[in-house]
């Protein structure tokens, strides 16, 4: 059935409404009426004429009707009879348009058979390209080959495997599954020979095949002997470019028709399809692998971009809070909101815990501090009171400044870890900023204390002291502490600030001025009475003792005498410094009052060389006798420390008292001194005191 719709549309638009017309189509000698909408029945076409042999269509008047004839081919004509119509109704342009419509109708008709053939070809090609499953695709190709090669009833495609050096059946049709194990080497049997020389082969008798079925392995001979042998076969190489990748074979078992050269050429064509199919499948596999890799990389990149965006967002939010001096507690509150988990910050400078929210945390500073003992400054999970926490240290270099703690109800995600890490960086900067601000306060306190020592204008000093929350009371004294040694940047500052934070907590109500400078701490106390002095000293002793029991760097501290006059603050400070020097000289950590130095204060300004020279004047003569030097030196030290009691000395030395008297006599002779002389005795006692107190602990 022709598609006349384009003609109807044109005629209905060009003609007067309800103008009847008829259409004949076909060979000029046998036109067939295809359409009529007029009254009556006119089966025969009008008599035709040709106005011009060179013109493809004609339009003329026949009585009352106008006739249009289109010669679209020598054997194909379309005639349209317009009833009761004048030829003037259609212009030249409309006539040309009508001819083009007729020509299109003709070409549509003659293309129908070709279209059907093309559809079959497309269907066959679609079968080859409908799947990238190589096994399924090869099965379809083999089946199609058997459909167009009627003499065959089985087929096999062998692919060469370079790893095993074997031609391996990859797809079979019409053969038992055991055939998939029938693998041959290049040069072995027919397929092996075709693979080696690339020459297609046709066999129409069993004898022809057996003559070329040579060089079989023992395993393959056993397989052939126990299998059904084909009556005829075609084998062609499967070429991919210039390389042979395998063989394609069609076998005959039940049919009796001979294979022809046409069959060979068809199978060669299918071998090309097999090569293309295998190549496409290989390319697809490689492309799929690359796509998977690209997808993974894209996913990883997307994830990294998200992490980077999160890192930037966290940094910007917290940095803005830091720039606005909102403080650590506000930063922790913001981190709480970002993580949607409870977060707190433990400050190792002031031993404080900042929860960020109003809810108190059931953790203590000592628990967290113990976790990071033994230099284990790294992030990790710990349990406190049957609750899991994630601890993230805030570190500069190797100095632990604080710790961010996250209460865990589930494992942290990678995005949350990014938030914690970036938050840690901003917190570290905030802590450093706080250290700098604290050092600025210390500098102001140091300047004020220096002016006190220089005894500048008292009224002005009192006014400045009030600005530092310090005022001069009845009694004032100075405590001075030092942490000797070398430190990393911020390490000593962190230790000093932590120590002063403890002092501020324990002595919060005491009138004081405290500050750190490098590795030294100065504490000025001004109190009302003796009781306050004792209380302050007791607390300082306890703080320093606790510190030295737990810290790796010890404090050496001295406390000067309390004086009532402001001018004597410098004297108390000097006494405190001398006490520290005394402790450092003896390598004795802790806190000592200046009064406790006793007689040793007379030697504080003497050099060690002078003191050692003095003691050696006493003890060196006792070492002249190599056999008894140790005995005499030890005897003298024990005798003086026993308050010159002969009985006590002999008992301590485990010797007879007469032996003691003999030794004492030799000591007097060697030193040219007498134990009965007060002046000589003072010299000996002083030497023994210095010897035991100053040099006994030296290595």
């Amino acid at each position: 059935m022709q598609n006349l719709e384009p003609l109807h549309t044109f005629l209905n638009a060009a003609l007067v409404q309800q103008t009847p017309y008829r259409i004949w189509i076909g060979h000029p000698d046998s036109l067939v009426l295809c359409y009529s909408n007029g009254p009556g029945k006119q089966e025969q076409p009008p008599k035709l004429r040709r106005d011009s042999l060179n013109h493809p269509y004609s339009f003329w008047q026949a009585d009352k009707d106008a006739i249009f004839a289109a010669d679209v081919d020598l054997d194909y004509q379309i005639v349209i009879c317009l009833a009761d119509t004048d030829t003037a109704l259609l212009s030249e342009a409309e006539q040309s348009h009508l001819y083009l419509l007729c020509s299109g109708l003709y070409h549509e008709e003659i293309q129908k058979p070709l279209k059907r053939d093309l559809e079959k070809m497309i269907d066959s090609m679609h079968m080859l390209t409908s799947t990238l499953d190589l096994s399924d695709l090869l099965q379809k190709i083999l089946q199609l080959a058997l459909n167009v090669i009627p003499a065959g009833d089985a087929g096999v495609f062998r692919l060469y495997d370079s790893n095993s050096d074997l031609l391996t059946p990859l797809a079979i049709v019409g053969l038992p599954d055991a055939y998939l194990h029938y693998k041959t080497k290049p040069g072995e049997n027919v397929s092996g020979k075709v693979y080696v020389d690339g020459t297609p082969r046709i066999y129409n008798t069993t004898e022809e095949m057996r003559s070329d079925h040579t060089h079989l392995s023992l395993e393959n001979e056993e397989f052939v002997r126990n299998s059904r042998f084909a009556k005829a076969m075609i084998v062609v190489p499967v070429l991919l470019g210039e390389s042979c990748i395998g063989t394609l074979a069609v076998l005959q078992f039940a049919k009796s028709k001979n294979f022809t050269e046409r069959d060979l050429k068809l199978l060669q064509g299918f071998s090309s399809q097999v090569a293309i199919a295998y190549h496409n499948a290989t390319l697809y596999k490689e492309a799929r692998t690359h796509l998977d890799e690209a997808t993974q990389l894209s996913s990883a990149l997307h994830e990294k971009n998200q992490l980077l965006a999160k890192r930037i967002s966290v940094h910007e939010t917290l940095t803005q809070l830091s720039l606005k001096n909102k403080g650590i507690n506000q930063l922790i509150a913001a981190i709480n909101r970002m993580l949607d988990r409870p977060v707190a910050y433990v400050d190792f400078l002031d031993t404080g815990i900042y929860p960020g929210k109003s809810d108190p945390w059931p953790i203590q500073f000592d628990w967290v501090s113990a976790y990071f003992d033994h230099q284990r400054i790294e992030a990790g999970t710990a349990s406190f009171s049957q609750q899991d926490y994630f601890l993230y240290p805030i570190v500069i270099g190797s100095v632990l400044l604080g710790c961010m703690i996250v209460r865990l109800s589930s494992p942290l995600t990678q995005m949350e870890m990014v938030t914690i890490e970036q938050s840690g960086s901003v917190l570290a900067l905030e802590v450093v900023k706080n250290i700098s601000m604290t050092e600025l306060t210390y500098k102001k306190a140091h300047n004020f204390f220096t002016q006190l020592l220089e005894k500048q204008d008292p009224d002005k000093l009192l006014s400045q002291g009030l600005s530092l929350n310090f005022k001069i009371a009845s009694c004032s004294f100075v405590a001075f502490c030092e942490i000797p040694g070398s430190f990393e940047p911020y390490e000593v500052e962190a230790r000093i600030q932590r120590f002063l934070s403890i002092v501020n907590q324990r002595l919060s109500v005491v009138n004081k001025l405290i500050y750190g400078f490098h590795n030294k701490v100065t504490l000025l106390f001004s109190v009302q009475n003796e009781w306050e002095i004792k209380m302050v000293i007791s607390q300082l002793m306890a703080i320093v003792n606790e510190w030295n029991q737990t810290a790796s760097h010890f404090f050496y501290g001295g406390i000067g005498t309390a004086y009532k006059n402001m001018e004597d603050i410098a004297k108390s400070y000097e006494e405190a410094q001398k006490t520290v020097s005394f402790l450092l000289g003896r390598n004795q950590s802790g806190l000592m009052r200046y009064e406790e130095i006793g007689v040793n204060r007379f030697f504080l300004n003497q050099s060690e060389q002078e003191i050692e020279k003095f003691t050696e004047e006493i003890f060196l003569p006792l070492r002249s006798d190599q056999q008894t030097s140790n005995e005499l030196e030890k005897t003298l030290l024990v005798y003086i420390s026993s308050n010159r009691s002969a009985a006590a000395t002999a008992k301590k030395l485990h010797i007879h008292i007469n032996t003691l008297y003999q030794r004492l006599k030799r000591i007097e002779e060697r030193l040219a001194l007498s134990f009965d002389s007060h002046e000589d005795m003072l010299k000996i006692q002083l030497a023994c005191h210095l010897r035991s107190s100053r040099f006994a602990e030296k290595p």
Side-chain angles (χ1 to χ4, degrees), residues 575 578-579 581-582 594 597 600-607 611 694:
E575 292 173 351
K578 287 182 178 181
T579 307
S581 298
F582 174 75
Y594 179 70
I597 298 179
N600 289 296
R601 71 180 69 179
F602 296 110
F603 308 104
L604 292 176
N605 294 325
Q606 302 296 325
S607 67
I611 296 175
R694 194 170 187 87

Side-chain angles (χ1 to χ4, degrees), residues 371-378 398-399 491 495 552-553:
Y371 176 82
F372 291 108
D373 280 348
H374 310 298
Q375 306 301 319
R376 189 177 58 181
I377 304 178
E378 57 185 22
S398 61
V399 182
E491 182 179 7
R495 294 180 185 278
S552 57
H553 291 80

Side-chain angles (χ1 to χ4, degrees), residues 196-409:
V196 171
D197 59 27
T199 303
R201 286 171 170 79
I202 299 180
Y203 302 95
N204 280 314
T205 65
T206 302
E207 291 73 17
E208 290 177 348
M209 283 188 291
R210 288 190 180 278
S211 63
D212 273 355
H213 221 64
T214 58
H215 304 100
L216 268 68
S217 65
L218 294 177
E219 183 181 356
N220 286 341
E221 283 183 357
E222 180 70 16
F223 179 84
V224 172
R225 188 164 45 251
N226 297 326
S227 302
R228 185 182 177 189
F229 207 84
K231 297 191 302 183
M233 180 171 62
I234 306 176
V235 184
V236 298
V238 178
L239 302 175
L240 186 60
E242 300 295 327
S243 302
C244 182
I245 63 171
T247 61
L248 184 63
V250 171
L251 301 91
Q252 183 186 94
F253 290 96
K255 297 180 180 179
S256 57
K257 186 177 180 180
N258 287 342
F259 290 115
T260 65
E261 288 294 328
R262 172 184 174 278
D263 296 334
L264 178 64
K265 291 187 178 298
L266 284 172
L267 191 60
Q268 285 178 312
F270 281 108
S271 73
S272 299
Q273 294 296 325
V274 169
I276 294 172
Y278 174 76
H279 183 59
N280 287 345
T282 303
L283 291 178
Y284 172 76
K285 183 178 180 180
E286 293 176 355
R288 188 67 190 180
T289 300
H290 294 324
L291 179 60
D292 290 342
E293 292 175 353
T295 301
Q296 292 177 358
L297 289 174
S298 177
S299 177
L301 182 60
H302 177 68
E303 185 177 355
K304 288 183 178 179
N305 286 338
Q306 285 185 317
L307 295 177
L308 179 60
K310 184 65 174 179
R311 189 183 298 274
I312 294 173
S313 173
V314 172
H315 179 79
E316 289 180 349
T317 301
L318 298 183
T319 301
Q320 287 300 316
L321 290 175
S322 179
L323 291 174
K324 294 177 182 178
N325 293 320
K326 294 296 184 179
I328 289 181
N329 211 43
Q330 288 296 320
L331 291 176
I332 295 299
I335 298 170
N336 267 281
R337 292 191 295 272
M338 292 176 187
L339 289 177
D340 196 23
R341 292 177 184 260
V343 182
Y345 178 72
V346 178
D347 196 329
F348 274 62
L349 300 181
D350 61 12
T351 68
I353 297 177
Y354 299 84
K357 295 182 178 180
S358 58
D359 301 336
W361 274 59
I363 58 174
Q364 298 179 12
F365 174 82
D366 293 340
W367 298 352
V368 182
S369 178
Y371 176 82
F372 291 108
D373 280 348
H374 310 298
Q375 306 301 319
R376 189 177 58 181
I377 304 178
E378 57 185 22
T381 303
S383 293
F384 302 125
S385 301
Q386 299 181 342
Q387 169 65 53
D388 290 337
Y389 297 90
F390 179 76
L391 283 72
Y392 188 84
I394 307 302
V395 180
I396 295 182
S398 61
V399 182
L400 180 62
L401 301 177
C403 175
M404 186 163 43
I405 302 182
V406 183
R407 189 183 301 166
L408 297 178
S409 57

Side-chain angles (χ1 to χ4, degrees), residues 136-149:
D136 181 48
L137 187 57
L138 294 174
Q139 291 280 345
K140 290 181 178 181
I141 293 174
L142 283 174
Q143 189 60 58
L144 184 59
L146 293 175
N147 290 342
V148 298
I149 301 177

